[in-house]
Amino acid sequence: MGVYEKFNYPEVNYEIANEMGLTKEEFDKAVEILGRTPNYIELGIFAAMWSEHCSYKSSRIHLKKFPTDAPWVVQGPGENAGIIEIDGEICACFKVESHNHPSYIEPYQGAATGVGGILRDVFTMGARPIACMDGLRFGDISKDEKSRYLFEGVVSGIAGYGNCFGVPTVGGETFFHKSFEKNPLVNAFALGIVKKDKIFKAKAEGVGNPVIYVGAKTGRDGIHGATMASEEFGADSESKRPNVQIGDPFKEKLLLEACLELMKEDIIIGIQDMGAAGLTSSSFEMASKTGAGVELYLDKVPCREKGMTPYEIMLSESQERMLLVAKKGYEDKVLEIFDKWDLDAAIIGKVTDDGYVRLYWEGEVVGELPAKPLGDEAPVYERPYKEPLYYREYKHNDFAFVNLNLDKTFEMMISNPNIASKKWIYEQYDHMVRTNTVVLPGSDAAIIRLKGSKKGLVLSMDCNSRYCYLDPYKGGQIAVIEAARNVAMAGGRPLAITDCLNFGNPEKTDVMWQFVKSIEGMSFACEKLNTPVVSGNVSFYNETDGKGIYPTPTVVMVGVIDDVEKRLVSFFKQDGSIIYLLGENKGEIGGSEFVSYCLEMDEGEVPEPNIEENIKLINFMIEVANKSLVLSAHDVSLGGLIISLFEMCVKNKIGVEVNFDYKMEDFRYLFSETQGMAFVEVDPSKEKEFLQLAANFGVRTERVGMTGGKEFKVKKGRRVLLMYDLDELIAQYEGAIDKWMK
């Protein structure tokens, strides 16, 4: 009895191909490539490898616009993660990736396996992970119960996996908006440290070299996860629970240690994580990159469930697994190391030289496919795009404030889930494990100590989804600029980014326009800042019932601070300091949090990116930190000027009295999100030197007040605009999310 009879596979036709996610044209192309109709196993492989999630068929043509080179770039896009040089032979390896669809279907496991997957991307390269971050988007938790359920499950999943694995979650960002109600975004970032001469890549080469499966056993979880992540959701989304993988952080910790031990030996040719599409993607990608071929003996794959078919084994997305190619003759050494760590390891194939991946089951060929057309030469589409009608309609600056009371508005803003303290989230995470974290969550950027070096890594994750909806070109620029600015506010020098591009259905012209314009804006900013893109991820089809998310090109900027002891934080340090406002407030409130939350409008002209002014500010902040001329610094971003000032008071409960001088309306000035503004705290003894340096850099300064006391007092000339007991404000700010989650 042949395999087809044994496993009762159906005969392939277009209807079955369509159910798997292939179009009629793609099915015909598969037939043309093979010179015959693919069998059921082969069709499943085509569907997975040509899914948007694996092939990037709608985005690849535009991703080429990104700058990817700089003297410090060691590995750019195309591998599991990007790598930059930090200090001689010490390199940082990092990437951000999405796990959006799985997190909607099963929030705990969806988020947990997102963390697991990004950690494997990093240690597959030979790097030991030392930090994680997460970028989260949900519906309005103050109004929507399902959003609260998703929020709670996702945060628990991130904590559950990261804490157990033993890597600190050091920062991130969280944003709530109705456009994410049925499409939460879960973007997981990981960073590791690797020596330049110990970097490993995903490749299969050397005829006769063994292909070895290592890690956990294969189960039926996650089958067709890649294709599920490449389609819109509808009424049947709940039925897709079987497509979500199940994670085991303790197993992953063992896998990390086993892989790093193996990598100390000179016996690995290539190694690849079994992520989306599992054994299929890892084997085809490794073969495609070198033009080699691979034979796989699927009946040798360790399985945790009885009766698994070749189809299920190839497409399972079970977690904590790797595929590696070792040097011939060293098989026993590989098996010995993984046995020591109580992990499965099995020789399941060998490298060939004809460019084909051949699949065997008990000696019978059950699939035979060329690697290149399913890997590097997968289809590429130039989707049409068109400016949407709303784009011009919402470009205005006419806002009425007649019914607003300034005190009530300010209190509303600090209790707004987007502004309020995120302690409810980050207090669930272990951010001190491995003892490298020197700036904890809650500041503009996280800082990680490099043991054995004075240097530190500075990390910031940013994106304003509303800006990217109203003006994706400006929004894309601002995402990069704000991430760079936050790194500089901590005293770091921005070096490179990784991105996670979250959008709706690319087959819709307005979504594709948002995508293209965002990339063009990001590319422009990266070129100006000299911060190349070294890795990333695209997540399309974030739509449910035809309604898409606000475009969210999440940016993680990685920078370096030469002396970690000179780091800056974004909260006031002492009484009696002088407060300076850097930059010019132009009263830009279009697309702002104030207009959205208090006026209930997602409209307006998005603030100008002011990239040249921001570059001046960034360079200035790096220098003032190096010279220890300021005690703390915080840029103006979401919520505007007055919110940023208040946030600096919270951590150490230090009050302020400030007096602003302006000629515009109070609401425009106080809630302005003009780009390139920041508050800094200056000790009076350093004021003269600080002002001289600002003049040298051409940075505008305005002395606005002093720190001290227990009041938050804001004046305009002799008029008191706001006056509060600071403790009462902090209680509102820190209790807002907790109140909704109870």
Side-chain angles (χ1 to χ4, degrees):
M1 182 187 289
V3 168
Y4 260 72
E5 293 80 7
K6 180 178 179 181
F7 293 115
N8 198 27
Y9 288 133
E11 287 297 318
V12 165
N13 55 38
Y14 165 64
E15 284 71 28
I16 289 174
N18 189 243
E19 285 173 14
M20 289 185 181
L22 290 169
T23 65
K24 176 74 165 62
E25 293 73 22
E26 287 168 343
F27 178 65
D28 291 343
K29 181 71 175 175
V31 172
E32 180 189 325
I33 287 167
L34 296 183
R36 57 177 172 80
T37 302
N39 65 34
Y40 190 73
I41 299 169
E42 293 167 336
L43 186 67
I45 289 168
F46 269 109
M49 292 301 293
W50 284 1
S51 69
E52 194 71 59
H53 194 70
C54 288
S55 72
Y56 286 24
K57 58 192 175 188
S58 300
S59 60
R60 248 191 296 173
I61 194 168
H62 299 290
L63 297 176
K64 291 176 181 176
K65 298 172 185 175
F66 282 142
T68 58
D69 294 321
W72 49 89
V73 174
V74 176
Q75 176 62 58
E79 281 293 334
N80 284 297
I83 300 177
I84 60 173
E85 182 184 317
I86 297 298
D87 190 5
E89 287 299 301
I90 301 173
C91 298
C93 173
F94 55 92
K95 188 183 182 185
V96 63
E97 198 158 74
S98 63
H99 231 222
N100 304 336
H101 281 44
S103 298
Y104 176 66
I105 294 169
E106 214 302 294
Y108 184 95
Q109 289 295 349
T113 52
V115 174
I118 200 66
L119 288 167
R120 286 194 302 281
D121 279 342
V122 166
F123 71 76
T124 299
M125 302 289 291
R128 178 176 288 279
I130 63 166
C132 283
M133 300 175 83
D134 53 79
L136 310 177
R137 298 286 190 283
F138 301 96
D140 186 349
I141 59 168
S142 68
K143 297 175 182 174
D144 183 50
E145 187 177 341
K146 179 67 178 285
S147 293
R148 287 195 288 274
Y149 160 76
L150 293 170
F151 179 39
E152 184 170 34
V154 163
V155 171
S156 295
I158 292 167
Y161 206 99
N163 294 356
C164 294
F165 178 83
V167 65
T169 301
V170 297
E173 59 158 4
T174 306
F175 187 81
F176 304 95
H177 188 275
K178 62 185 179 182
S179 77
F180 303 104
E181 230 163 65
K182 295 182 179 179
N183 291 278
L185 302 186
V186 178
N187 293 176
F189 165 88
L191 178 143
I193 297 299
V194 63
K195 288 194 172 176
K196 201 180 285 185
D197 62 349
K198 290 292 182 183
I199 294 168
F200 289 84
K201 299 185 180 182
K203 60 181 181 178
E205 60 186 13
V207 175
N209 280 331
V211 176
I212 305 177
Y213 171 113
V214 299
K217 286 181 168 65
T218 295
R220 290 189 171 95
D221 47 328
I223 293 172
H224 275 305
T227 47
M228 180 267 290
S230 306
E231 60 189 24
E232 290 185 27
F233 275 163
D236 65 339
S237 297
E238 298 298 320
S239 68
K240 301 190 180 188
R241 284 183 186 274
N243 287 335
V244 178
Q245 312 93 324
I246 299 163
D248 181 346
F250 301 106
K251 185 79 76 174
E252 178 128 330
K253 174 64 173 170
L254 297 176
L255 183 61
L256 162 72
E257 299 300 341
C259 285
L260 293 184
E261 181 176 333
L262 182 66
M263 289 165 171
K264 290 176 182 175
E265 311 282 343
D266 185 25
I267 58 178
I268 300 181
I269 301 295
I271 183 168
Q272 172 76 312
D273 160 42
M274 288 192 219
L279 183 55
T280 288
S281 61
S282 55
S283 57
F284 276 85
E285 287 171 6
M286 289 176 83
S288 176
K289 277 182 183 173
T290 59
V294 168
E295 285 184 1
L296 295 179
Y297 316 124
L298 301 181
D299 49 308
K300 306 289 186 188
V301 172
C303 294
R304 69 167 182 257
E305 298 179 49
K306 289 183 178 179
M308 287 193 68
T309 68
Y311 179 89
E312 291 171 328
I313 289 167
M314 283 302 293
L315 293 169
S316 165
E317 293 186 8
S318 293
Q319 298 290 286
E320 293 88 39
R321 303 179 301 156
M322 297 280 193
L323 193 67
L324 62 90
V325 174
K327 292 180 179 177
K328 196 171 184 178
Y330 289 92
E331 296 89 339
D332 289 346
K333 182 65 176 174
V334 175
L335 301 182
E336 177 190 321
I337 288 173
F338 282 89
D339 182 60
K340 169 190 163 183
W341 289 98
D342 197 25
L343 292 165
D344 281 286
I347 300 163
I348 65 162
K350 66 180 180 181
V351 178
T352 60
D353 62 357
D354 64 357
Y356 272 75
V357 176
R358 286 186 183 81
L359 312 176
Y360 292 82
W361 183 266
E362 296 177 347
E364 180 184 345
V365 176
V366 296
E368 188 174 23
L369 299 163
K372 285 275 187 191
L374 284 120
D376 293 345
E377 295 173 5
V380 175
Y381 297 143
E382 191 165 0
R383 304 268 190 203
Y385 56 90
K386 183 181 177 183
E387 180 185 291
L389 296 175
Y390 75 79
Y391 175 65
R392 304 277 169 184
E393 182 187 338
Y394 291 165
K395 271 184 177 291
H396 66 84
N397 277 307
D398 301 323
F399 301 105
F401 314 121
V402 285
N403 296 318
L404 292 185
N405 170 280
L406 185 56
D407 285 287
K408 287 181 181 176
T409 301
F410 177 65
E411 290 180 48
M412 275 179 68
M413 286 290 283
I414 65 168
S415 302
N416 165 6
N418 281 340
I419 301 297
S421 169
K422 304 304 186 289
K423 283 174 74 173
W424 185 90
I425 302 170
Y426 62 71
E427 285 186 344
Q428 298 185 50
Y429 303 153
D430 186 340
H431 31 260
M432 288 305 296
V433 63
R434 304 193 62 80
T435 66
N436 295 315
T437 313
V438 291
V439 172
L440 305 179
S443 204
D444 273 339
I447 301 182
I448 308 296
R449 178 187 292 106
L450 282 177
K451 286 176 178 163
S453 168
K454 288 175 68 178
K455 292 188 175 184
L457 288 163
V458 190
L459 316 173
S460 182
M461 176 181 273
D462 294 282
C463 180
N464 188 315
S465 304
R466 194 182 299 110
Y467 286 177
C468 292
Y469 170 71
L470 292 172
D471 192 327
Y473 182 74
K474 283 185 182 178
Q477 277 193 60
I478 290 171
V480 175
I481 293 166
E482 187 180 348
R485 195 168 64 227
N486 283 337
V487 165
M489 287 294 134
R493 185 172 65 257
L495 289 179
I497 76 163
T498 180
D499 59 61
C500 194
L501 308 175
N502 307 273
F503 289 80
N505 185 343
E507 297 165 52
K508 296 180 177 178
T509 57
D510 57 338
V511 171
M512 204 62 210
W513 177 82
Q514 292 169 344
F515 181 77
V516 171
K517 292 300 173 186
S518 292
I519 281 187
E520 289 174 353
M522 292 169 69
S523 297
F524 177 77
C526 285
E527 285 170 1
K528 283 281 190 181
L529 291 161
N530 200 16
T531 53
V533 182
V534 297
S535 60
N537 170 244
V538 178
S539 175
F540 277 133
Y541 296 98
N542 291 288
E543 299 206 3
T544 297
D545 299 329
K547 189 174 181 181
I549 60 163
Y550 274 8
T552 306
T554 300
V555 169
V556 182
M557 182 69 71
V558 176
V560 67
I561 184 166
D562 291 329
D563 184 350
V564 79
E565 297 305 319
K566 294 183 177 180
R567 63 190 180 273
L568 296 174
V569 290
S570 58
F571 44 83
F572 292 127
K573 291 287 197 66
Q574 64 183 33
D575 288 354
S577 295
I578 303 165
I579 303 169
Y580 272 94
L581 173 63
L582 308 182
E584 182 184 357
N585 188 348
K586 297 173 183 173
E588 294 169 285
I589 59 170
S592 69
E593 188 64 28
F594 160 68
V595 167
S596 180
Y597 194 70
C598 299
L599 302 184
E600 299 183 344
M601 301 166 65
D602 282 1
E603 297 183 17
E605 182 84 45
V606 169
E608 286 300 318
N610 290 339
I611 195 158
E612 297 301 337
E613 292 301 310
N614 272 280
I615 289 170
K616 281 187 203 173
L617 178 64
I618 287 165
N619 291 334
F620 173 64
M621 288 307 305
I622 295 167
E623 191 63 18
V624 293
N626 188 48
K627 292 182 181 293
S628 301
L629 295 181
V630 302
L631 294 166
S632 64
H634 186 28
D635 75 323
V636 173
S637 56
L638 193 73
L641 183 96
I642 198 65
I643 297 300
S644 295
L645 179 67
F646 166 69
E647 288 169 342
M648 296 187 78
C649 301
V650 174
K651 174 89 172 180
N652 290 329
K653 297 187 176 180
I654 294 174
V656 295
E657 181 171 330
V658 296
N659 197 325
F660 294 118
D661 179 19
Y662 56 89
K663 292 186 171 65
M664 64 187 79
E665 295 157 295
D666 292 339
F667 290 98
R668 280 190 185 275
Y669 185 87
L670 296 175
F671 297 106
S672 166
E673 294 180 7
T674 293
Q675 298 296 296
M677 292 194 294
F679 287 105
V680 292
E681 176 189 10
V682 181
D683 187 280
S685 67
K686 302 282 183 75
E687 183 180 22
K688 186 177 178 182
E689 195 177 349
F690 164 80
L691 290 172
Q692 182 60 57
L693 194 66
N696 293 347
F697 275 86
V699 172
R700 182 184 180 276
T701 61
E702 180 184 349
R703 181 171 171 161
V704 295
M706 301 286 290
T707 64
K710 291 297 176 185
E711 281 189 332
F712 184 75
K713 189 173 183 180
V714 180
K715 297 169 67 178
K716 180 188 178 187
R718 293 183 180 178
R719 183 160 62 99
V720 176
L721 300 175
L722 298 168
M723 187 164 67
Y724 286 95
D725 176 87
L726 184 60
D727 287 343
E728 290 178 7
L729 283 183
I730 291 172
Q732 286 185 55
Y733 172 77
E734 292 191 336
I737 288 180
D738 191 53
K739 179 184 76 172
W740 290 115
M741 297 313 293
K742 280 180 178 174

